[in-house]
Amino acid sequence: MNRLGVLAAAGLLALAPLTEAHAVETSAPSVPTERGIVRGGGVGCATEESAPDTVGSPRPQLTARVHDEADVSPSPNLRADFTIDSRNPDGSWTRVADSLVPSTGFVSDDTRVTTALSTTLAPATVYRMSAATWAYATDQAQYTASATTAFC
């Protein structure tokens, strides 16, 4: 094929309409709300490192309410991504757990998700937790993430 034929074919491809699979995009979801550690009387989230909460279980339950972007239709498929870091003796942080909830399937806008941490936390260690909302357009392969919450 000569150069003119290749350019003409490329021009035709550029003018061809995109399929729905190509056209679907997910905008950034909103930051989760009501995040923290599930307690007997509600949800705890100490935000000051100098005054941390005490967690009684080595595998606490984490929770957050996920949100899509305002006025999005149709609502995307959502998940919460929880991250847990432990503080090192030098003051730096190391990621010790990352949990995507639900692990299969999705939830809709304004849904509270809760999960038991699968990693066992060590006693007398300072940990921090954050959460983000992940929005999926049509499948589990491509997602858009919100900003993360402040640390608990």
Side-chain angles (χ1 to χ4, degrees):
M1 186 180 274
N2 64 27
R3 288 176 96 164
L4 186 55
V6 170
L7 291 175
L12 288 175
L13 288 175
L15 295 175
L18 294 175
T19 65
E20 185 175 329
H22 292 106
V24 174
E25 283 190 25
T26 302
S27 56
S30 297
V31 175
T33 57
E34 303 172 37
R35 89 290 188 208
I37 307 292
V38 176
R39 300 179 180 274
V43 176
C45 178
T47 56
E48 295 296 325
E49 188 178 338
S50 61
D53 281 338
T54 300
V55 178
S57 169
R59 290 190 172 174
Q61 287 194 332
L62 310 176
T63 190
R65 185 174 299 277
V66 294
H67 304 280
D68 64 16
E69 181 184 29
D71 300 324
V72 172
S73 184
S75 180
N77 299 314
L78 303 176
R79 288 181 170 156
D81 179 45
F82 295 100
T83 58
I84 304 290
D85 302 330
S86 67
R87 189 172 62 189
N88 300 316
D90 67 1
S92 64
W93 295 91
T94 299
R95 177 75 32 95
V96 295
D98 197 348
S99 184
L100 196 54
V101 182
S103 59
T104 60
F106 305 100
V107 297
S108 59
D109 180 42
D110 201 35
T111 300
R112 177 183 294 278
V113 295
T114 302
T115 187
L117 187 61
S118 61
T119 302
T120 301
L121 301 180
T125 302
V126 175
Y127 293 94
R128 66 182 185 183
M129 180 210 97
S130 66
T133 302
W134 287 14
Y136 297 79
T138 57
D139 60 29
Q140 295 184 25
Q142 297 180 355
Y143 65 89
T144 304
S146 72
T148 59
T149 62
F151 288 108
C152 292

